[in-house]
Each structure stands twice: as C-alpha cells, then as structure tokens.
Amino acid sequence: MNLWGKRNDMVVHEREPFNAEPPPAALTGGPAVALTSLDAFFSRNHGPIPDLDPAAWRLEVDGTVTRPLSLSLEELRTRFEETEVVATLQCAGNRRTGLTGVRPVPGETPWGPGAISTARFRGVRLADVLARAGPAPGTAHLAFTGADVAPGARPPQPYGGSVPLEKALGPEVLLAWAMNDAPLPRVHGAPLRAVVPGWIGARSVKWLRRVTARTTPSDAYFQTTAYRLLPADAGPGRTGPGDGIPLGPSPLNCAVLSPVDGSRPPAGPAQVTGYALGGEHRTVARVEVSADGGRTWRPADVDEPAGPWVWQHWRTVLDLPRGEVEIVARAWDSAGTTTPESPAALWNPRGYANTSWPRVRLCCGPG
Ligand SMILES: Nc1nc2c(c(=O)[nH]1)N[C@H]1C(S)=C(S)[C@@H](COP(=O)(O)O)O[C@H]1N2
Ligand SMILES: [Mo]
C-alpha cells in the first residue's frame, strides 16, 4: 500500500492520524550504518498531514524579538549559512509496549522498539535565525507552531511545543528542509521542520509556520499537558495543564532488534543485535546481553557513534539453548548511568520514556 511513501511492511498503528514504525529488521542496516532510509523512518502524527505550497509558505519569527521576521524558503536558504546534522529522533512513546505489559496505557499508540530513526538533516541553525530577529532581554524559550491541527488536543489546536533558549541556541538545532540528501518528505514536515537532536521527537515540530520567542514555555497542549511524565497514581481526572514533568532531553535507552520477539530460531549460536541511544551529550559506553533472562551477561560490540546525536548499534553472538529463551539487554552511557531493570518501576499514565531492559522471548527449536 505504500502509505506516505513508506515500505509495505511498516507496522501501521493508525492510518488517521498516520502513526507507523518500521519492522525491527529495517532499523538494523549493515554494520555501522547509522542512517534509516526515508521509506523506513518512523512517523508520528497528531492530525491530518498538511499539504503546503512551498512557494507561498513563509516562516514567521515573532514574540519577544526586536525585529520580527517573515521569511520565504528562498530567503532562509540564501540569507543564512546552510549546515547539516545527523540526528536520531526518538518518540517519547518508543517501546511503550514494555509498559503496557505492566498495566494498560489507554489512548496511546502501542509503539514497539521502532519509534526511533536516524537521518541526516540539512537546513539552517535556529540560533542564526534568532540572532537576526534579536531576542529581547528576558527571552527564555522558543515555541514552535506547526500547520497541522490536532483533533485530539484539548481544545483542538495546531501542533506545537517549545525548547528553552539555551537548547535552542545549540548549533545542532536546525530548521531543516532536507533529509538524507532528499527534499524533506511531506509526511516528515515539508517544507520545513525543527530538528532538536537529543530531545524527545515531540519538540522537533513539523510543517513549521512560526517560531515565537517567549519568557515562558509554549502554551500548546503538547507542552502543557501531553509529553509530561505524570506520577504513576495520577488518575485521568487529575491530569491537567502543568501537571507532571515536561519531557525534554531523551534518556539513555536500549532495544533488541534481532532475533524478533516471539520468533522460533534454531538452538545454537545466534547473532543478537540492537541499538542504544545515549542521553543528551552522552554516548553509549557499554551494552551487555543475556540469554538466560538476566542471570549471566555477555558484553556486546558497540559501534562508535557516527556523531554526538546518533544512536549506536550493537551486536554479539549468543548460544541459544533449546526451548524457552529470554534475551535481555542493558546499557551504560559515558557518565556511568545504566538502564533500569523494571518496567513496573517506570510505568506512567501516558506510557512515556520506557528505558527498562528490553526482553525478547523465543522458543528455540532443534538446531
Ligand atoms: N507539526 C507536528 N510536528 C510534530 C508532530 C506532529 O504531530 N505535528 N509529532 C511530533 C512527535 S511526537 C514526534 S515523535 C516527531 C516524529 O517525527 P517523524 O514523523 O518525522 O518521525 O514529530 C514531532 N513533530
Ligand atoms: Mo513523539
């Protein structure tokens, strides 16, 4: 069916809004291949995909600035220095199914380990655009507003979110019009999207219309209410604007890509592969894998990071016994932080930030 130019074997959780993740095998690539092809890159949407005319489109830069700007694509391309960043985007809901195994998470997409992908983005630095507009004293946040309207937001509204000024000024934060050397696909935000490496995907706003300098974070539902980590016991009636912890930087995470959960490989030596993503400003320093549910561990070979904002693939060979086998993985980052074992300890009402040890259950037949 090739929805939105994606490969046929995407796991489509929802068609409208379109929410789809690639099968694990599509994220493996060859050794040391960090980039995800455009037809496999996951897609997370909250409303209908806009169809914007690039010739008529303009970016407004407003709010607490001394010179508000209105820029065409051509002006963005010619008046600012072009640059690139290779970035892994990860949805805050990646690996949510590990939490729904503890307790249901009603109303949220049941993402497996594929709500994460990596691309080379090309565009201009947000910091350069902001410098041209001249942020007024007191500016502390930059809010992004997209052209899509999210019917599930309360009230329905354009998708939006913000990042603090100190993050927005980082040279890695781009306004991007190209992805893997191709024009930004419509489903990924054409003609222009924000790319905020190291932060949850929700802050990389697509179909960008407006960048607003503010003294406070964005008022958008997706900043005030969604994408916040609520206490485990917060009932639906007790979750209003401002509740919980607003999610920003992505935490250390790790997943198994092969073998696939529920498969029946032959017993004997098997290649086990996966990815890990360090937290912001950190790399993955160690990954260990177990074939006996976590009693004994083997170190995996971890790829060198292809850049400071990029996931790292890992692999090892484990000897799989016959019968029921549980493969488990855990990771450490360059600051010595490690991933927590228990999904029960991480469960939260919206099912965000599952960083617990991934578990893959297999039934291994005769070799
Ligand atoms: N305008 C707009 N931007 C958006 C979204 C959206 O629904 N609308 N979804 C966000 C979320 S939650 C994620 S995880 C990423 C996904 O980016 P992708 O679809 O390019 O993979 O886009 C973010 N930017
Ligand atoms: Mo997301």
Side-chain angles (χ1 to χ4, degrees):
M1 279 166 297
N2 288 103
L3 287 170
W4 297 105
K6 297 297 169 186
R7 38 192 281 169
N8 285 323
D9 58 356
M10 292 294 275
V11 180
V12 178
H13 295 294
E14 251 180 314
R15 284 165 156 259
E16 191 57 59
F18 182 60
N19 281 302
E21 66 181 297
L27 292 180
T28 313
V33 174
L35 297 187
T36 311
S37 64
L38 292 183
D39 67 350
F41 204 102
F42 85 101
S43 192
R44 169 70 175 117
N45 300 289
H46 296 76
I49 312 287
D51 187 7
L52 304 176
D53 173 5
W57 175 94
R58 297 188 81 82
L59 177 71
E60 312 298 331
V61 182
D62 59 10
T64 57
V65 294
T66 49
R67 290 175 299 276
L69 307 174
S70 175
L71 298 162
S72 69
L73 264 188
E74 186 59 20
E75 288 165 341
L76 264 177
R77 283 172 189 269
T78 53
R79 295 192 189 168
F80 300 91
E81 188 195 348
E82 252 186 73
T83 183
E84 288 187 341
V85 69
V86 178
T88 298
L89 293 189
Q90 177 177 224
C91 183
N94 190 32
R95 303 186 56 232
R96 179 174 284 130
T97 50
L99 298 178
T100 53
V102 175
R103 241 199 287 169
V105 177
E108 299 287 344
T109 310
W111 297 108
I116 182 170
S117 297
T118 301
R120 178 184 301 111
F121 293 95
R122 188 166 188 80
V124 295
R125 289 183 199 91
L126 176 58
D128 293 350
V129 175
L130 185 66
R132 205 68 65 88
T139 301
H141 299 267
L142 285 198
F144 303 120
T145 308
D148 54 329
V149 175
R154 288 189 304 269
Q157 59 190 269
Y159 186 88
S162 61
V163 292
L165 183 66
E166 60 201 358
K167 176 65 181 177
L169 292 180
E172 74 277 11
V173 179
L174 301 193
L175 305 179
W177 56 74
M179 194 174 171
N180 290 354
D181 303 314
L184 189 66
R186 190 176 147 198
V187 73
H188 292 295
L192 193 82
R193 79 175 298 169
V195 176
V196 184
W199 281 46
I200 61 164
R203 307 304 175 219
S204 291
V205 174
K206 303 189 276 187
W207 310 290
L208 194 60
R209 271 263 157 86
R210 191 173 294 278
V211 174
T212 306
R214 297 170 55 98
T215 57
T216 56
S218 164
D219 291 328
Y221 171 81
F222 301 96
Q223 189 74 38
T224 63
T225 310
Y227 295 104
R228 299 178 80 102
L229 200 67
L230 296 163
D233 63 357
R238 293 164 49 204
T239 58
D243 289 342
I245 304 163
L247 296 170
S250 270
L252 171 69
N253 207 351
C254 175
V256 175
L257 291 172
S258 67
V260 167
D261 189 40
S263 61
R264 307 175 73 88
Q271 165 111 324
V272 180
T273 69
Y275 64 78
L277 176 67
E280 197 190 18
H281 301 301
R282 295 177 184 184
T283 54
V284 177
R286 181 163 73 206
V287 172
E288 291 180 352
V289 192
S290 168
D292 55 15
R295 277 183 294 281
T296 61
W297 298 88
R298 270 187 74 84
D301 292 322
V302 183
D303 287 347
E304 287 298 316
W309 310 105
V310 188
W311 62 2
Q312 290 160 258
H313 284 94
W314 53 262
R315 62 197 63 75
T316 191
V317 174
L318 292 181
D319 202 27
L320 303 181
R322 279 181 71 162
E324 305 285 317
V325 175
E326 191 177 42
I327 294 180
V328 192
R330 59 185 182 183
W332 283 258
D333 70 16
S334 48
T337 305
T338 190
T339 48
E341 173 176 357
S342 160
L346 299 179
W347 191 92
N348 61 94
R350 288 206 169 83
Y352 297 132
N354 178 22
T355 57
S356 66
W357 297 355
R359 290 177 185 269
V360 163
R361 289 166 189 96
L362 309 171
C363 185
C364 300

